[in-house]
Amino acid sequence: MIDCHGVMKRLWEYLDGESPPDEADRIRDHLAMCARCYPQYRHQLAFLALVSRTASATAPRQEFVRRLDAVLAAAEDDRT
């Protein structure tokens, strides 16, 4: 079993599909049962979805950077 620290350390690799299959299974199992890690997973997944939508849209690069800055600022506000 993988602990919360291990999941958080490897979460971006997991979300990018870069985790080895056995490790991905352990992370997936942990996220399915952990009320502490699952919200962070959902947050990072939403962030990746936003980046993907924005990057593939016809918006100019400046708009992408503005949106990314807004998301990062909101995330920072949530931490304080």
Side-chain angles (χ1 to χ4, degrees), residues 32-51:
M33 64 172 233
C34 184
R36 182 175 163 202
C37 292
Y38 186 75
Q40 183 65 28
Y41 159 74
R42 293 292 301 163
H43 176 78
Q44 290 182 1
L45 188 62
F47 174 78
L48 287 177
L50 174 67
V51 169

Side-chain angles (χ1 to χ4, degrees), residues 54-68:
T54 304
S56 65
T58 58
R61 179 169 170 71
Q62 294 85 0
E63 178 65 11
F64 172 76
V65 171
R66 185 192 66 74
R67 289 182 185 183
L68 181 58

